[in-house]
Amino acid sequence: MKLEEFIDTFVVKGAKATDVYDAIQNELGRLRVAYDHDPDPAEDQSDDVIEEPSNDWPASQA
């Protein structure tokens, strides 16, 4: 039902339904490839602490 409403929002704005279907299929294909490559990208985040840049450079003392 929600997918139908999603498609209808574009059709009401003037898009052809077939173009919306094609765009959805293309995006699903791209997402499938990305998922096959890395099924859980959240696991890729590092636990390392990101440090703030230093203000020790000479021009910062002015």
Side-chain angles (χ1 to χ4, degrees):
M1 186 68 163
K2 293 213 182 237
L3 182 58
E4 186 176 347
E5 291 174 14
F6 177 74
I7 294 168
D8 284 345
T9 60
F10 293 101
V11 172
V12 167
K13 292 181 181 184
K16 293 180 185 178
T18 55
D19 291 340
V20 177
Y21 298 145
D22 290 342
I24 292 170
Q25 283 183 315
N26 289 338
E27 185 63 16
L28 288 173
R30 188 190 68 75
L31 290 172
R32 182 180 303 258
V33 168
Y35 180 80
D36 288 344
H37 179 70
D38 189 0
D40 192 359
E43 291 179 350
D44 295 346
Q45 294 180 357
S46 174
D47 291 335
D48 296 339
V49 176
I50 299 174
E51 295 182 23
E52 291 294 322
S54 171
N55 284 333
D56 292 345
W57 51 286
S60 71
Q61 304 301 324

